[in-house]
């Protein structure tokens, strides 16, 4: 696993995530990027999502909110990749979610644990930072 490869892969994930947010593709398409199980941590708690259905349901909540806000794209404000070993890396990104008119919906910072396993590269943990 190397720095540029993780960044490139993550860019592909962001494209699919944005397409889901715009309603152009089904939320289940994110299973090509999210591992199962998936650890999700936010100010609301720690969630261990242990099935495809649970992962899709959690992503769907996010996607529904984005669609309601007229989401169009996520702008990467800052990104940093830390390779941990040959099978894992951390991707920390600060993002601005934008509407189709260019206005900002929100900003967030997220750290992702990206792993290479038997089914390929996946996000195994996702930690949303406090504002």
């Amino acid at each position: 696993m190397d720095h540029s490869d993780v960044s490139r892969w993550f860019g592909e994930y962001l494209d699919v995530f944005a397409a889901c947010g715009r309603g152009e593709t089904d939320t289940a398409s994110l299973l090509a990027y999210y591992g199962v199980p998936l650890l999700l941590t936010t100010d609301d708690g720690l969630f261990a999502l242990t099935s495809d259905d649970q992962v899709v349901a959690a992503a769907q909540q996010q996607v529904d909110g984005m669609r309601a806000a007229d989401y169009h794209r996520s702008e990467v404000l800052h990104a940093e990749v830390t390779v941990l070993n040959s099978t894992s890396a951390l991707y920390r990104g600060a993002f601005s979610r934008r509407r189709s008119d260019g206005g900002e919906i929100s900003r967030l910072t997220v750290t992702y644990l990206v792993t290479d396993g038997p089914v390929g590269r996946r996000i195994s943990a996702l930690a949303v930072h406090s504002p």
Side-chain angles (χ1 to χ4, degrees):
M1 187 171 297
D2 71 32
H3 204 253
S4 61
D5 193 36
V6 171
S7 294
R8 185 174 33 261
W9 179 87
F10 200 84
E12 293 171 10
Y13 157 71
L14 286 178
D15 289 343
V16 173
F17 187 78
C20 290
R22 290 189 300 268
E24 297 170 0
T25 190
D26 187 64
T27 305
S29 64
L30 292 171
L31 288 172
Y33 296 91
Y34 291 141
V36 178
L38 173 68
L39 293 178
L40 172 63
T41 180
T42 70
D43 283 335
D44 294 329
L46 169 66
F47 307 93
L49 309 175
T50 59
S51 70
D52 288 358
D53 289 343
Q54 288 179 335
V55 171
V56 171
Q60 189 66 54
Q61 286 183 310
Q62 191 70 214
V63 166
D64 289 346
M66 293 163 58
R67 290 178 185 172
D70 190 31
Y71 171 88
H72 183 67
R73 72 185 197 292
S74 292
E75 183 178 307
V76 179
L77 303 174
H78 175 76
E80 178 181 326
V81 174
T82 303
V83 174
L84 301 174
N85 53 47
S86 64
T87 61
S88 62
L90 295 175
Y91 182 101
R92 179 183 172 139
F95 306 95
S96 172
R97 290 188 175 164
R98 301 287 184 163
R99 287 188 287 278
S100 56
D101 67 4
E104 186 172 77
I105 299 166
S106 64
R107 288 183 181 222
L108 70 155
T109 302
V110 184
T111 298
Y112 303 84
L113 173 63
V114 179
T115 57
D116 265 332
V119 296
R121 188 161 292 165
R122 296 290 189 271
I123 295 168
S124 295
L126 187 155
V128 179
H129 297 229
S130 294

